[in-house]
Amino acid sequence: MSKVKDVQIGSIGLDTRVFRSRTWDRLKFEVEYGLSRGTTANSFIIEGDKIALIDPPGESFTDIFLSALDQRIPLNSLDYVILGHVNPNRSNTINKLLEKAPNVTFITSNTGAKSLQTIFENTYPDTVTKNSLNIIAVKNDYELDLGKNHILEFITTPNPRYPDQLLTFDRASQIFYTDKLFSAHVCGDQILDEGWKIYQEDRRYYFDCVIAPYATQVIKALEKISPKNPHIYATSHGPLVRYGLTELTGLYRQWLETQQNQTLNVALIYASAYGNTTVLANAIARGITKAGVRVESINAEFASSEEIKTAIQLCDGFIFGSPTLGGHAPTQIQSALGITLANADTNKLTGVFGSFGWSGEAIDLLESKFKDGGYRFGFETIRVKFKPTEAILKTCEEAGTDFAQALKKRKKALKPKESADNSLSARTEQALGRLVGSLCIVTTQTEELKGAMVASWVSQATFNPPGLTIAVAKERAIESLLPIGSKFVLNILEEGKHIELMKQFLKPFAPGEDRFANIEWESAENGCPILSSALAYVECEVNKRLECGDHWVLYSIAKNGKLLSDTGLTAVHYRKSGTHY
């Protein structure tokens, strides 16, 4: 049964409170993250001589948030509303707030100010007519004195996804309001991150989904944060970061450096009218980065012509995404297309995606221009009508992974072949290859999404509780379906009956293709597929994940299992080299 939404209030510093709008259900805007661990939308009140509200939540929490806030701080007493970023989802909360506090002043970046004005002119014209919005637009760094020593410093940290991002630092409390940075989509009772390591996987997952494609810009943002020596990161989602602040900052630098050091690079150029194309772009970017290829995401609405030209010249492949507006691609996409056709070598891999309401001419335009130009496509063009579903986003992620793998294969093909020798590394590879493993099929299902993969790097790890480990390559499509807490079935194959299953699950699948077509299976108690011709199966739950080079090692607890054949023997995988399966 779903838990009721609520607002948790707590003191986090001098004259400072957090209002945590919480739900244990996954909200509709979280579909792109693929998890179901709930969410917390964090808002903050600073009470100096003037009162400032930082980051009111989206429309899912509008009424309960404003009710909770009004009981603590009369809404008409608010002086400032500070917006770390502007999006339509927050506009309903802001509009209702303006009914009680019509003279409040908004502080946002210059880009955010333009977006806020446009949103209200289009969605709430009556509000704009009654009261023109009072906005302080921050172009560069700016300070605001609330009194009682609360001097707020505002720092612009734009990136392609959040071109209007504005961070806030309070000198009195030493709290840094970091907007999306260091966040996690997880709901719980902890306001701060006591026992911070238990949230590390959630923060890493959020980083991979939201932050990784903007490594260059986020590195610059960290350079602005570190000199302030903050005591707390007040994030927009999840527990606030205090106890693990130093460690998490170091991990962010490590993860960002890993992204920057990838030898292959994809330029992902897009524009978005209602946010749908952006969501698709993020899913594709995640698929690329998980395969070990760097992404440079470029929002054509805010990027300069020179920036696009440089990215196209330096990339190994490029992908374009566009909405369709009035039967055409946005002007910015058309300009970026012209720059690309004039500067991109035809041997570079390309791809096209986009969303539309009634027609998709912009997608057709991009596809035809690149085909006519002689470019090779890394995945089938993705056309999405209206808002993308979770299944569509998984397809986009797989398309991104396929694109990255195609780049890596081409690079490997162009690399001069090395002759085999009796070197230390060659001898080590041969010895490592003599390790054998049971041939298994890992299967999982989460709502409408199913996944499967062949696994032979499987081993029992503990007796009590009964546990096992499985190594999953980062670029596997199933990897994002196996976070901590997820369920799966380990289908152990039988010698002599495993060939057909191996052929089925080893063949390349197109993004979104059904892995279980023409395969007999039934649902286990945990809802995941049991393959009917398996020797045995074990129902498991992921307990821990350890990042190990190009793989994740999953430690999982065996919850249930059954032997399906009393006389069969386990199929075994024999290798000759330790460098590949």
Side-chain angles (χ1 to χ4, degrees), residues 502-574:
M502 293 291 290
K503 287 181 179 179
Q504 169 69 14
F505 292 105
L506 283 176
K507 72 180 183 180
F509 290 95
E513 184 178 351
D514 183 7
R515 271 72 170 163
F516 296 88
N518 303 317
I519 293 292
E520 292 186 13
W521 63 277
E522 59 185 68
S523 291
E525 290 184 12
N526 66 9
C528 301
I530 299 171
L531 303 180
S532 301
S533 58
L535 170 66
Y537 72 88
V538 184
E539 298 181 41
C540 304
E541 180 175 318
V542 179
N543 181 267
K544 292 182 177 65
R545 284 168 53 110
L546 176 64
E547 186 174 11
C548 301
D550 53 7
H551 281 66
W552 287 96
V553 174
L554 311 185
Y555 171 67
S556 305
I557 305 300
K559 299 291 187 177
N560 189 23
K562 186 178 180 180
L563 187 64
L564 301 179
S565 172
D566 293 328
T567 59
L569 297 175
T570 303
V572 177
H573 184 205
Y574 295 95

Side-chain angles (χ1 to χ4, degrees), residues 30 78 121 134 187 213 237 239 293 308 313 348 375 394 439 470 480 489 511 533:
E30 285 180 8
L78 286 176
E121 288 174 353
N134 301 315
C187 186
H237 302 293
V293 173
I308 293 172
Q313 290 175 334
K348 292 188 177 182
Y375 295 96
K394 182 60 178 170
L439 280 171
I470 301 176
S480 57
V489 167
S533 58

Side-chain angles (χ1 to χ4, degrees), residues 212-214 259 262-269 281 284-285 287-289 291-298 310-320 348-351 353 378-379 399-408 410:
Y214 318 113
Q259 291 297 320
Q262 301 295 352
T263 57
L264 291 170
N265 174 40
V266 175
L268 179 56
I269 302 170
I284 292 171
I288 295 171
T289 56
V293 173
R294 183 162 62 93
V295 177
E296 183 175 359
S297 288
I298 299 173
T310 301
I312 287 297
Q313 290 175 334
L314 296 179
C315 72
D316 298 284
F318 59 89
I319 301 172
F320 263 69
K348 292 188 177 182
L349 205 63
T350 191
F353 68 96
F379 55 79
T401 299
D402 284 356
F403 193 93
Q405 289 173 334
L407 288 179
K408 293 162 77 173
R410 187 174 67 174

Side-chain angles (χ1 to χ4, degrees), residues 38 132 220 230 299 325 334 409 493 510 569:
S132 59
K220 293 178 181 178
N299 189 329
L325 303 176
Q334 295 185 43
K409 287 179 181 177
L493 303 188
L569 297 175

Side-chain angles (χ1 to χ4, degrees), residues 195-217:
W196 60 271
K197 287 187 177 181
I198 65 175
Y199 299 111
Q200 184 169 321
E201 177 66 19
D202 295 292
R203 298 197 195 279
R204 173 60 189 269
Y205 189 85
Y206 190 94
F207 173 91
D208 288 341
C209 290
V210 180
I211 306 298
Y214 318 113
T216 300
Q217 294 86 357

Side-chain angles (χ1 to χ4, degrees), residues 418-434 576-579:
E418 299 177 0
S419 59
D421 57 27
N422 197 35
S423 65
L424 176 62
S425 60
R427 296 197 302 270
T428 302
E429 291 167 8
Q430 292 170 0
L432 188 59
R434 294 311 187 268
K576 293 184 177 180
S577 172
T579 60

